[in-house]
Amino acid sequence: MADDLQAAPEGADNDSFHEECGVFGVWNVPDAAAVTALGLHALQHRGQESAGMVAYDGEKFHSHRGLGSVGDNFGDQKVIDRLPGRIAIGHNRYATTGETALRNVQPLYADFEFGGFAVAHNGNLTNANLLRRTLVRRGCLFQSTTDSEVFIQLIAISLYSTVVDRLIDALKQVIGAWSLVALSNEAMMGIRDPLGVRPLILGRIGSEGTGGWVLASETCALDIVGADFVRDVEPGEIVVINDKGVESIRPFARKAERFCVFEYIYFARPSSLMEGTSVYEARKRIGRELAIESSVDADLVVPVPDSGVPAAIGYSSQSGIPFELGIIRNQYIGRTFIEPTEHIRLLGVKLKHSANRPILKDKRVILVDDSIVRGTTSKKIVEMVRLAGAREVHLRISSPPTTHSCFYGIDTPERSQLLASSHSVDQMADLIGVDSLAFVSIDGLYRALGKPGRDDAQPFYCDACLTGDYPIPLPDQADNADRQMSLLAEIR
Ligand code: AMP
């Protein structure tokens, strides 16, 4: 989901897609709201700026949405008590720019002639501006500035009669990445876009036969509520969950999957399994590839915590160079990106990490991190490690250079702010102030993940942020209305 849609002028390049989200839902579970709060808590890394929930008690829908973390919003039992019933869905949202207004906090909810409908969205729609303009011309009154509201408006004007048919009608008009958890009076639904860019999984909770169902962005949310993993919701699939069980609907023609590779590199929680693969193990394997491709003589392998830890373990085990926690992270600080201005970001890095001086002094250090975005973090960390007495600093990055913005639901700044979009590796090394800098190659990344890569007929992952190959068209990014229309015509 992204917001600021109203602010985007006709045909303008819209750099407001700075959203990351987590979604969760339960069907037929005692204390559904408390369980959902736990699930959202496990998914907190996917979004820390707002949290919301819609619960259904069989007669009425109840909701609570607020700015801040899951704990800020659902840590109080009185709030949970106001969300009765055995059914609930929830959403975490993380926006670094754009509006963080309460009206954009999800799940979104609307009353229709068929009953209530709530939806929580992870991903970004790439034709939301276009759709919104069309819908406004048709008289739709938008209540928020988030792209996800087009789902609600399209369902509202659909001529089909059932909820599921209206939903399918809406899905056929949107372009982009979407993993949705939706709720009506009759069912909870889990939906993934045809390329399956963002994750969504199905789990079982309670005893077979009488138990309930869980939908979540990641398996770490199943673990916390004691649910068992059943399977991924498949790309292009709608699962409809009610008291009769789970029905699978496939309204789209089958396409080859393009799951987001950045979920493995950075975004997902290491304890999660994605598509049957442990995120932690995948990161370690990327670290090993990095050591094979870019070895250097040194005394220590030091991760930039927390994101660089698994890759550093992999690098150390492959190279035989000892792993040490040469940088200690303050656990009480949010992610660096949470503060939008450059000044605060610089401050944030210092607050977040401190050097472990006795470990670093007089050592040749290999620093490992998962990615370089603007280069701010690396520059500060390298400075700190040198001040602590390190003799040499070699930076190793467990992703290829991030050269392009993501329009499918990972927060990235606009392209001009991505260091790698305008600097060579040597230039970046100079700027960051390291003795050497190396990124894992795109082939090394695919080797580590064990999936068809760039030399195969079609790469398994969406790697647009690393290659500029966008597998889903970006009509809202087209620089003029004619180009937008011709892009849409190509798609249809
Ligand atoms: P920068 O300082 O701009 O180069 O940011 C790089 C740091 O941000 C790395 O340590 C990454 O772990 C982290 N990072 C990368 N992508 C994201 C993202 N989408 N959201 C938040 N943090 C990120």
Side-chain angles (χ1 to χ4, degrees):
M1 46 153 306
D3 55 27
D4 249 12
L5 292 161
Q6 286 165 335
E10 192 110 2
D13 181 88
N14 183 345
D15 180 48
S16 64
F17 292 171
H18 298 266
E19 305 281 341
E20 301 175 329
C21 307
V23 291
F24 186 86
V26 286
W27 181 272
N28 190 24
V29 169
D31 301 320
V35 173
T36 300
L38 286 173
L40 291 179
H41 176 70
L43 297 172
Q44 187 76 85
H45 59 287
R46 298 185 73 88
Q48 297 118 46
E49 283 206 350
S50 66
M53 209 190 289
V54 171
Y56 182 53
D57 63 9
E59 282 182 17
K60 276 188 176 159
F61 289 87
H62 309 266
S63 71
H64 179 87
R65 301 178 193 84
L67 302 180
S69 69
V70 178
D72 294 340
N73 284 290
F74 299 105
D76 182 348
Q77 186 59 39
K78 285 194 233 92
V79 174
I80 298 290
D81 290 344
R82 289 199 293 270
L83 298 163
R86 297 172 69 87
I87 299 163
I89 67 169
H91 186 264
N92 283 337
R93 173 173 180 263
Y94 172 58
T96 55
T97 62
E99 207 181 345
T100 318
L102 200 51
R103 63 187 175 145
N104 287 336
V105 180
Q106 298 196 24
L108 300 175
Y109 176 84
D111 280 310
F112 294 115
E113 61 208 83
F114 57 75
F117 184 82
V119 64
H121 173 207
N122 173 209
N124 274 139
L125 302 184
T126 57
N127 68 336
N129 285 335
L130 272 169
L131 275 176
R132 189 184 184 101
R133 282 201 292 270
T134 314
L135 289 166
V136 168
R137 264 182 236 127
R138 288 179 64 177
C140 292
L141 302 170
F142 278 79
Q143 304 293 311
S144 74
T145 58
T146 140
D147 64 341
S148 315
E149 196 183 341
V150 298
F151 289 114
I152 296 276
Q153 300 288 356
L154 288 169
I155 289 169
I157 59 167
S158 173
L159 299 175
Y160 288 89
S161 53
T162 69
V163 186
V164 172
D165 285 343
R166 282 177 176 226
L167 178 65
I168 293 171
D169 190 22
L171 293 173
K172 292 205 162 161
Q173 296 173 70
V174 297
I175 300 168
W178 62 84
S179 279
L180 306 178
V181 174
L183 186 61
S184 73
N185 301 52
E186 288 151 22
M188 176 169 80
M189 288 149 275
I191 305 127
R192 269 177 97 194
D193 68 71
L195 301 194
V197 175
R198 302 256 73 84
L200 188 64
I201 52 160
L202 176 68
R204 196 83 167 103
I205 187 167
S207 52
E208 193 68 37
T210 57
W213 297 95
V214 186
L215 289 166
S217 295
E218 293 182 36
T219 60
C220 62
L222 300 184
D223 299 337
I224 195 173
V225 300
D228 294 320
F229 174 76
V230 175
R231 66 178 178 85
D232 289 319
V233 175
E234 288 176 16
E237 185 186 21
I238 302 179
V239 291
V240 180
I241 299 166
N242 56 30
D243 288 340
K244 289 189 231 134
V246 178
E247 186 194 354
S248 168
I249 301 172
R250 299 193 150 277
F252 301 103
R254 290 227 181 214
K255 288 188 178 167
E257 176 166 356
R258 297 295 291 275
F259 185 63
C260 168
V261 77
F262 210 71
E263 293 272 354
Y264 283 109
I265 292 169
Y266 168 80
F267 196 35
R269 197 157 154 180
S271 59
S272 286
L273 292 172
M274 294 207 139
E275 315 198 290
T277 303
S278 152
V279 171
Y280 176 73
E281 290 298 334
R283 286 180 190 166
K284 281 204 313 194
R285 285 199 302 272
I286 303 172
R288 279 193 209 112
E289 282 292 335
L290 191 53
I292 294 167
E293 289 183 349
S294 316
S295 70
V296 57
D297 222 11
D299 304 310
L300 301 176
V301 174
V302 170
V304 177
D306 292 331
S307 54
V309 173
I313 294 173
Y315 194 105
S316 165
S317 75
Q318 179 66 40
S319 63
I321 301 171
F323 172 96
E324 289 287 359
L325 294 179
I327 300 166
I328 308 296
R329 175 162 178 207
N330 182 336
Q331 299 300 335
Y332 306 100
I333 293 284
R335 288 181 173 188
T336 316
F337 272 40
I338 208 93
E339 298 295 349
T341 68
E342 179 78 357
H343 171 65
I344 299 295
R345 260 200 303 278
L346 288 172
L347 271 181
V349 173
K350 273 191 257 155
L351 289 172
K352 194 166 141 184
H353 297 114
S354 54
N356 192 351
R357 275 173 186 276
I359 290 289
L360 297 171
K361 192 162 170 21
D362 295 328
K363 296 294 194 318
R364 295 168 304 163
V365 175
I366 300 174
L367 274 181
V368 181
D369 202 357
D370 67 284
S371 57
I372 292 178
V373 182
R374 297 177 177 89
T376 326
T377 310
S378 319
K379 197 166 182 327
K380 282 279 135 190
I381 294 269
V382 168
E383 217 171 84
M384 192 175 74
V385 169
R386 286 208 192 274
L387 274 174
R391 201 148 45 88
E392 288 173 22
V393 184
H394 303 275
L395 183 58
R396 295 293 178 268
I397 302 293
S398 61
S399 65
T402 305
T403 49
H404 290 73
S405 302
C406 175
F407 297 98
Y408 308 136
I410 293 282
D411 164 45
T412 41
E414 68 172 275
R415 198 163 174 223
S416 62
Q417 289 185 46
L418 296 171
L419 195 64
S421 74
S422 54
H423 293 75
S424 68
V425 174
D426 285 348
Q427 287 169 332
M428 286 193 266
D430 276 355
L431 243 147
I432 293 167
V434 281
D435 296 283
S436 76
L437 168 66
F439 294 79
V440 77
S441 69
I442 191 88
D443 292 343
L445 176 66
Y446 275 97
R447 256 196 313 278
L449 297 173
K451 288 286 196 306
R454 284 261 135 215
D455 291 338
D456 294 283
Q458 179 168 305
F460 185 81
Y461 294 106
C462 171
D463 54 17
C465 56
L466 314 171
T467 61
D469 170 20
Y470 291 95
I472 302 171
L474 306 171
D476 281 346
Q477 300 302 307
D479 47 16
N480 64 53
D482 288 348
R483 179 75 191 117
Q484 283 181 340
M485 293 331 280
S486 69
L487 253 177
L488 285 179
E490 277 167 34
I491 298 159
R492 303 237 184 268

